Amino acid sequence: MTRKKLTLAIGHSLLTLAVASSAAVAETATREPPKQFDAIAVQGEIVYRDRTESTAPVLAYDLEYFQRFEPLTVGDMLKRVPSVAFVSDVLEYDGARLRGLDPGYTQVLINGKKVPGAGDDRSFFVDRIPAELVERIEIVRSASANRSGDAVAGALNIVLRGAYEFDGAYLRAGALHFDDGEWKPTYGGIASGEFAGGRLLGGFNVQGRYNPKLKRSDRFEEPGGDFVDAEDQTDTRDGTDYSANASYSREFGDSGLFTLTGVYVLTDRTETENSLEYNVPIANPRNLLSINDQVVDIDQTNYVLAADLETEAFGGKNTLELSYSAFDDERFDTEEEVGFDDDDTPPSFDEFEGVRELTQGDDREVALSLAHARPFGEATLEFGLDVQRKDRDVEIATSEVDTDEEGEPLPPYDDFDIARSQIDERRLDPYIMLSGGGDAFDWEAGLRYETTDVDVGFDDERADNDYDVLLPSAHLKWNLSELDRVTLSLARTVRRPNFNFILPLTLEEEYGDNDFVGNPLLDPELAWGIDIGYERRLGRDGVLGINVFYRDVSDLIEIVNTGEPSATARDDYEEEVEEFLDENPGANPNTPGYPVFDPDSFVYTADNVGDGEVYGVEIDLSTPLTSLGLPHTGVFANYAWLDSNIEDFAGERRFNDQARFVYNVGFIHDLPDSGWSFGASYRKQGDAFSRLLAEEVRTEYGADLEAFIEKRFGTQFSVRLTGSNLLDASKDEFFNKFDTEADQLDRDFDEFEIETETAGPVYQLIARYAF
């Protein structure tokens, strides 16, 4: 039987069993009363990390946990939770790196559902979702059979506010002030209540986004070597995010629930970079090497529509979920540079050149999930089938123009080279899971079988691949006492190849002088993981948690040499032969001294090679200081020590860009009688190192200090002033650059660069009114 027929047979058997089962209809579960928005918008008490009752290890943080510091986005929220790092620009928190690993190792879900993003590594930028739309953030440390297995590092589930969880309404308005004097508005509102026999929630948010940064680059021949040139750059991100979410829920019959949800996010942003390059360390107009101006206009749209149906029938609980997710990305990128000839003193005009790149990306995902859960002796049996189809189409149009006439404008951008790529990915994933427990122990064990068919194309070239993986998982929760808990998890997970690695496309000089060609036949990376955790309840609200994790990753995808000479090597050889023939008319390959083709740069590709391991310790604490006589003071701290080991072409290293550590400490103090509150938070992230072919980068971040002060007026109105980046944090990068792999191994540098990026503090003044 073929793999596809086997999968269909398994799925058909599971669905047949669900329909054929019959038993008494279970009683309707009791729902918690909705939270009141006035208690959320105008907080009267400190909110701590939730202690979840799930068997799998999950950390849950409500919006109120973060809200005192006025996070703008989910990225701002995640920088305060354990083990999440970022390797982004200063004040940018986009690609979440759970356990410090590349964002592609972390599964990002919205309401438990996968969503497409812009990244070629399949990642989703978490700064796309405004914090005001969120009910809670869940960190799922280990995979279960009833969730997609592409979560080697873990999963981040962004749960949006739902109609049945909230009641009331509030409005939010304020402004942000930046250190260059710019002001940006922010406003929004949310309301929930009974509607058309059910409950309806709707919310919107408009967020001004702005990030002015300064960059300085100094380049040398090698570390400690002679100075080459310097560059001063301004980099400003300026735009507005518009977002909305809605949820409608209605009960039917004795136990049914129907829910419709939707979220929409529109980003309208302009990124402007202006740089001046000099051949002296201190800027001097007489020593200009180049003037570079780049403007990128970005329009991005994310939306997710989902329908869920829950019923109690056929002897258990049945769930049907259907979702449609889309990501549209339009970019208009123009970069123009005036170059000067460094051979003259002072440098004289050389060339004026420009590049315009137009990008249109469309990513669509349709997903269907069917599940049935029923009693099975003393345990619960759950089985189901997840079906998903992804269609990703990207078109890039590029035009290059130039002029060597000083003072003349560039020719029109009217001759575009167009490249089109398509990726169609289909998945069919059945699973089965057993769970049970008692007073002391809760357990869960399951199997998930994920199948993937991929068709890729670039222009007229086509290729296809298919693979399947079996993903077992098991979790144990042991309640040592009412206060103490131990958890143990074992799971196998998967990471599918990056999109840019599987396209049958050749990129010249992608890595120094080396070319790169995609490999459509890549298999996914697989990982066995174990998590061991201990958690203790501290008083009524406090929690202390410690978790140790380990991941054994196989079939790692790395860059490897095909042995084929690069286009640069062939061109250099042709020039060498041409020069020899000019000097030796009538010569042939048998002529003494005739050039021998000995390439030093090659065509590389991606392949499944080698293994790696990731491990670390995570500690988190959130508790009031009641035992010290300070019940209105809450302290928060988390620390993650992170490490890994992998072997590449140059030896051992950590996984690329994994920070050595990341920690947060903070406090909040309430003065309930006067309605005042204040607090501060301090965050620090360790150094990260990345080694690719032809380039090595070490990244260092400064510390981030945030603080707030708040005044509440009764139970309906509050005003809050927050400040972030109060220490003027910087990002420092150290680049080792090489032309070829041989040069990299021999430490024969093409260039050594030090780049420093800085940004100033940001202040927010926000008012909320609940009604």
Side-chain angles (χ1 to χ4, degrees):
M1 181 178 291
T2 66
R3 176 182 62 79
K4 185 174 290 186
K5 290 181 179 179
L6 175 62
T7 304
L8 291 171
I10 294 173
H12 177 73
S13 299
L14 293 174
L15 294 178
T16 302
L17 179 59
V19 174
S21 302
S22 61
V25 175
E27 295 183 1
T28 305
T30 302
R31 297 189 182 280
E32 295 290 333
K35 297 180 182 179
Q36 298 300 307
F37 272 134
D38 57 355
I40 296 172
V42 186
Q43 291 175 250
E45 60 181 31
I46 302 171
V47 176
Y48 300 90
R49 195 252 289 181
D50 292 343
R51 192 186 197 197
T52 66
E53 296 306 317
S54 64
T55 305
V58 177
L59 306 184
Y61 297 86
D62 288 348
L63 173 64
E64 298 95 300
Y65 177 89
F66 309 95
Q67 197 175 72
R68 299 291 182 94
F69 293 94
E70 289 294 346
L72 300 178
T73 70
V74 169
D76 292 325
M77 300 166 76
L78 289 173
K79 70 180 182 180
R80 296 186 179 89
V81 301
S83 210
V84 175
F86 293 88
V87 182
S88 312
D89 289 350
V90 175
L91 297 182
E92 299 282 340
Y93 302 97
D94 45 24
R97 307 177 65 88
L98 190 57
R99 273 110 186 225
L101 296 183
D102 185 272
Y105 286 103
T106 300
Q107 183 184 86
V108 176
L109 307 171
I110 295 181
N111 291 338
K113 299 173 178 61
K114 287 170 56 50
V115 288
D120 284 329
D121 61 355
R122 300 173 180 267
S123 63
F124 177 86
F125 281 0
V126 291
D127 68 343
R128 304 275 305 137
I129 305 298
E132 286 296 314
L133 304 186
V134 176
E135 176 193 339
R136 68 182 182 275
I137 298 288
E138 295 177 344
I139 301 176
V140 186
R141 283 175 160 164
S142 185
S144 293
N146 60 354
R147 290 190 298 267
S148 178
D150 45 348
V152 173
L156 299 171
N157 186 24
I158 305 165
V159 181
L160 304 182
R161 289 170 169 172
Y164 262 105
E165 283 74 34
F166 296 94
D167 197 18
Y170 76 83
L171 296 174
R172 171 184 180 270
L176 293 83
H177 181 261
F178 300 85
D179 70 326
D180 66 349
E182 183 76 15
W183 288 86
K184 285 290 182 179
T186 178
Y187 55 91
I190 193 166
S192 181
E194 296 183 359
F195 178 79
R199 294 187 61 83
L200 176 66
L201 177 144
F204 75 98
N205 191 75
V206 178
Q207 177 66 61
R209 300 289 295 272
Y210 189 73
N211 188 5
K213 297 167 292 182
L214 298 177
K215 293 183 180 180
R216 165 74 182 197
S217 296
D218 291 281
R219 304 181 184 96
F220 306 86
E221 291 185 352
E222 60 183 4
D226 292 338
F227 172 84
V228 175
D229 58 53
E231 183 178 0
D232 290 326
Q233 183 183 90
T234 60
D235 182 354
T236 303
R237 316 283 173 92
D238 189 359
T240 305
D241 287 352
Y242 306 88
S243 59
N245 74 311
S247 169
Y248 176 75
S249 298
R250 180 171 181 172
E251 294 179 335
F252 63 92
D254 294 329
S255 57
L257 178 65
F258 176 69
T259 303
L260 285 172
T261 58
V263 59
Y264 175 85
V265 180
L266 169 65
T267 295
D268 182 4
R269 183 179 303 178
T270 299
E271 299 180 0
T272 304
E273 297 184 13
N274 305 108
S275 67
L276 301 174
E277 190 178 16
Y278 305 90
N279 62 5
V280 291
I282 300 176
N284 185 331
R286 288 178 52 84
N287 294 93
L288 267 176
L289 292 181
S290 69
I291 303 173
N292 184 286
D293 298 303
Q294 182 175 14
V295 179
V296 186
D297 291 320
I298 300 173
D299 287 300
Q300 294 177 332
T301 302
N302 264 106
Y303 57 90
V304 181
L305 302 173
D308 297 354
L309 178 64
E310 297 178 8
T311 60
E312 297 276 357
F314 308 117
K317 179 181 178 180
N318 306 282
T319 305
L320 169 65
E321 300 178 353
L322 178 64
S323 65
Y324 178 80
S325 306
F327 177 76
D328 296 327
D329 184 15
E330 295 184 7
R331 295 172 181 262
F332 191 97
D333 184 349
T334 304
E335 182 176 6
E336 298 178 343
E337 180 174 291
V338 178
F340 299 89
D341 190 346
D342 195 24
D343 291 334
D344 297 332
T345 305
S348 60
F349 174 83
D350 182 38
E351 188 179 35
F352 183 20
E353 55 187 356
V355 178
R356 177 161 291 170
E357 187 172 274
L358 311 179
T359 302
Q360 173 67 57
D362 299 302
D363 202 323
R364 301 287 186 270
E365 289 188 10
V366 179
L368 172 68
S369 296
L370 302 168
H372 176 76
R374 58 184 294 109
F376 188 79
E378 297 298 320
T380 298
L381 172 67
E382 179 181 343
F383 50 87
L385 179 68
D386 296 332
V387 183
Q388 178 184 303
R389 174 156 187 166
K390 170 189 278 289
D391 296 299
R392 180 183 175 95
D393 299 318
V394 179
E395 179 178 289
I396 301 176
T398 306
S399 176
E400 299 183 9
V401 296
D402 64 78
T403 178
D404 55 8
E405 297 294 330
E406 186 171 6
E408 290 297 316
L410 287 173
Y413 294 97
D414 54 12
D415 184 14
F416 286 87
D417 293 326
I418 298 177
R420 298 181 178 90
S421 64
Q422 304 86 35
I423 297 176
D424 298 329
E425 188 173 87
R426 295 166 298 283
R427 291 174 51 180
L428 194 64
D429 307 338
Y431 71 88
I432 188 167
M433 186 171 74
L434 272 174
S435 59
D439 294 336
F441 291 97
D442 293 303
W443 58 270
E444 172 191 303
L447 284 173
R448 185 178 183 89
Y449 184 59
E450 295 195 349
T451 71
T452 306
D453 289 319
V454 186
D455 295 318
V456 299
F458 182 80
D459 290 341
D460 296 327
E461 296 187 51
R462 293 291 183 273
D464 61 83
N465 189 20
D466 61 80
Y467 47 83
D468 53 80
V469 293
L470 183 65
L471 305 177
S473 60
H475 307 284
L476 175 66
K477 182 176 68 177
W478 181 13
N479 295 309
L480 302 174
S481 69
E482 292 185 356
L483 301 178
D484 301 282
R485 170 190 298 173
V486 172
T487 58
L488 173 63
S489 297
L490 177 68
R492 195 185 194 204
T493 50
V494 59
R495 183 194 182 185
R496 289 168 173 79
N498 292 3
F499 294 127
N500 56 326
F501 281 177
I502 62 177
L503 286 174
L505 163 67
T506 299
L507 301 174
E508 294 186 1
E509 296 187 336
E510 179 70 3
Y511 300 103
D513 290 341
N514 304 285
D515 301 339
F516 176 82
V517 60
N519 179 8
L521 300 181
L522 279 175
D523 288 328
E525 299 179 5
L526 296 171
W528 283 101
I530 185 170
D531 285 78
I532 303 174
Y534 168 76
E535 192 174 86
R536 179 174 176 82
R537 171 69 72 187
L538 303 175
R540 182 175 64 90
D541 298 313
V543 176
L544 170 66
I546 302 173
N547 188 73
V548 179
F549 69 90
Y550 176 82
R551 299 289 186 271
D552 183 11
V553 187
S554 60
D555 294 328
L556 277 171
I557 297 173
E558 291 284 313
I559 305 299
V560 298
N561 194 341
T562 67
E564 293 293 323
S566 69
T568 298
R570 291 194 299 268
D571 290 344
D572 289 345
Y573 176 68
E574 290 175 2
E575 291 179 5
E576 189 177 357
V577 169
E578 185 177 341
E579 291 178 1
F580 183 81
L581 293 177
D582 288 342
E583 296 174 359
N584 302 274
N588 59 56
N590 296 321
T591 302
Y594 194 91
V596 177
F597 187 36
D598 184 20
D600 59 2
S601 59
F602 299 88
V603 177
Y604 285 76
T605 189
D607 204 356
N608 298 100
V609 294
D611 303 307
E613 54 184 359
V614 186
Y615 43 90
V617 180
E618 302 158 321
I619 303 172
D620 75 285
L621 169 72
S622 65
T623 182
L625 299 180
T626 306
S627 60
L628 300 179
L630 300 170
H632 300 296
T633 300
V635 294
F636 309 86
N638 60 69
Y639 178 87
W641 174 79
L642 308 168
D643 205 352
S644 58
N645 183 62
I646 188 175
E647 188 165 337
D648 63 11
F649 64 94
E652 291 187 352
R653 60 167 169 83
R654 300 202 307 272
F655 274 65
N656 279 335
D657 285 325
Q658 183 190 41
R660 276 290 189 189
F661 62 83
V662 56
Y663 68 84
N664 299 263
V665 294
F667 78 93
I668 296 175
H669 182 67
D670 272 342
L671 302 171
D673 293 339
S674 61
W676 287 91
S677 299
F678 60 89
S681 175
Y682 179 89
R683 180 181 187 275
K684 187 72 170 70
Q685 180 175 308
D687 295 354
F689 175 78
S690 172
R691 179 164 63 210
L692 298 173
L693 181 65
E695 185 173 88
E696 301 165 358
V697 186
R698 179 167 56 90
T699 305
E700 300 177 357
Y701 280 93
D704 181 20
L705 176 65
E706 300 181 311
F708 80 90
I709 185 168
E710 173 189 71
K711 176 67 172 99
R712 298 180 297 276
F713 300 89
T715 60
Q716 292 182 287
F717 186 68
S718 70
V719 178
R720 186 177 298 137
L721 175 65
T722 63
S724 58
N725 195 34
L726 298 178
L727 298 180
D728 294 343
S730 67
K731 174 186 178 183
D732 299 308
E733 294 180 283
F734 303 84
F735 298 87
N736 297 331
K737 301 179 183 180
F738 308 90
D739 287 326
T740 67
E741 178 182 339
D743 289 346
Q744 193 166 359
L745 295 175
D746 293 339
R747 314 312 289 170
D748 182 5
F749 284 78
D750 174 57
E751 184 177 82
F752 173 68
E753 178 180 357
I754 302 174
E755 180 179 283
T756 298
E757 178 182 274
T758 58
V762 180
Y763 298 96
Q764 295 184 71
L765 183 63
I766 305 294
R768 283 182 172 82
Y769 176 70
F771 55 95

